[in-house]
Amino acid sequence: MSAAATLTPSKPSLTTNDSAVLQALFDAESSPSSAINIDSTLPPLPTHLNIPAGELSFLQSHEREIISALSSSTTPTREAIESAIKELDILITAHPTYPAAYANRAQALRMLIESPTSSENNTNTDTHLFTESNAPYVSALLSDLGTAINLSTPRSPADSVSPLQARLLADTHTHRAYLLLKVSRKLKEADNVEGVPRRLKEVGSDGLEEMASRDFFFGGRYGNKIAQQMAVQTNPYAKMCGAIVKEAIRKEAEGNQ
């Protein structure tokens, strides 16, 4: 038995195009995820949102005040989280086209979901994510992320984005992908999971994983490095090709023993 498998040169080799396809599938750095043009000369937010520079500065300052109570403590109380959510509700009602407020309210809702009540001691975040009482919060969280993404996304895929716009899109796509993947994996364990919104159950585990993969792709496209790697891991085509390549290598190794 040989110590290591060797590939014989007589076997057919990949074409240049095949190699490029496989490289794009398995290497996040080579994929279009790094092709977005970030232009610091652009307005911070898309002009069609009708948020003047002066108003944006006020909104950002007010938003920082609201979330400061949450970021200044490693374990904010449920009361503090609920108070921040109520203040963000008011901000969004007054300024419904400001995407960052939706993104931050989604973060606050996530903190609320993962924060145990006074009668709970379980620190497993999945336990809180998949409970009947938190199902409305999960739905609201996903809705906020969707709104933030819709407001921040450029009208054309070829359009450049501002640094603020890119950061918002990277964060919100990655956040939504993480949640969708969590739900997908939970549904693989059991079809009828308590606390999962019905519309997510209807999509099914495989459908949710594909949605998560797409969100990871966009999160990576706008600059989130972890999302770039997760996009490769959850890409169904990459996984399929990976299985084919592994099987080919296994057979090649066996043939050289």
Side-chain angles (χ1 to χ4, degrees), residues 5 25 52 58 63 71 77 104 106 113 155 179 192 194 200 214 238 243 245:
L25 280 170
F58 163 76
E63 188 178 24
S71 58
T77 63
N104 276 307
I113 290 168
R155 289 182 168 177
L179 291 171
N192 189 22
E194 182 183 7
L200 296 184
R214 185 174 183 274
V245 170

Side-chain angles (χ1 to χ4, degrees), residues 79-252:
E79 290 75 15
I81 299 171
E82 289 170 347
S83 176
I85 291 172
K86 288 178 182 178
E87 291 189 62
L88 287 168
D89 289 345
I90 296 171
L91 179 62
I92 288 170
T93 299
H95 305 275
T97 63
Y98 180 47
Y102 293 94
N104 276 307
R105 187 168 67 178
Q107 292 281 10
L109 284 165
R110 169 86 174 276
M111 294 174 71
L112 187 66
I113 290 168
E114 296 181 348
S115 173
T117 63
S118 57
S119 61
E120 293 175 327
N121 295 315
N122 194 330
T123 57
N124 184 342
T125 56
D126 283 357
T127 300
H128 304 299
L129 187 61
F130 302 110
T131 62
E132 197 65 41
S133 60
N134 280 331
Y137 295 136
V138 173
S139 292
L141 194 169
L142 290 169
S143 176
D144 275 351
L145 290 174
T147 301
I149 289 169
N150 289 338
L151 291 172
S152 304
T153 298
R155 289 182 168 177
S156 168
D159 289 347
S160 299
V161 296
S162 71
L164 174 61
Q165 201 177 348
R167 188 169 66 252
L168 270 169
L169 287 166
D171 290 347
T172 48
H173 274 294
T174 304
H175 190 177
R176 187 169 69 176
Y178 168 83
L179 291 171
L180 292 175
L181 189 59
K182 281 273 190 185
V183 177
S184 169
R185 289 176 174 174
K186 198 68 178 178
L187 289 177
K188 283 184 179 179
E189 297 174 6
D191 292 334
N192 189 22
V193 180
E194 182 183 7
V196 173
R198 186 174 67 178
R199 61 193 180 96
L200 296 184
K201 290 181 180 178
E202 291 172 351
V203 174
S205 176
D206 290 342
L208 290 172
E209 185 171 356
E210 289 183 19
M211 291 168 63
S213 179
R214 185 174 183 274
D215 266 331
F216 277 130
F217 168 77
F218 280 108
R221 190 180 189 207
Y222 288 106
N224 188 296
K225 297 296 184 182
I226 295 176
Q228 287 181 10
Q229 299 303 318
M230 289 301 298
V232 173
Q233 293 180 33
T234 57
N235 184 333
Y237 300 106
K239 291 194 292 187
M240 178 182 68
C241 289
I244 294 171
V245 170
K246 286 179 181 178
E247 179 65 12
I249 291 173
R250 184 186 67 79
K251 290 181 178 179
E252 182 73 23

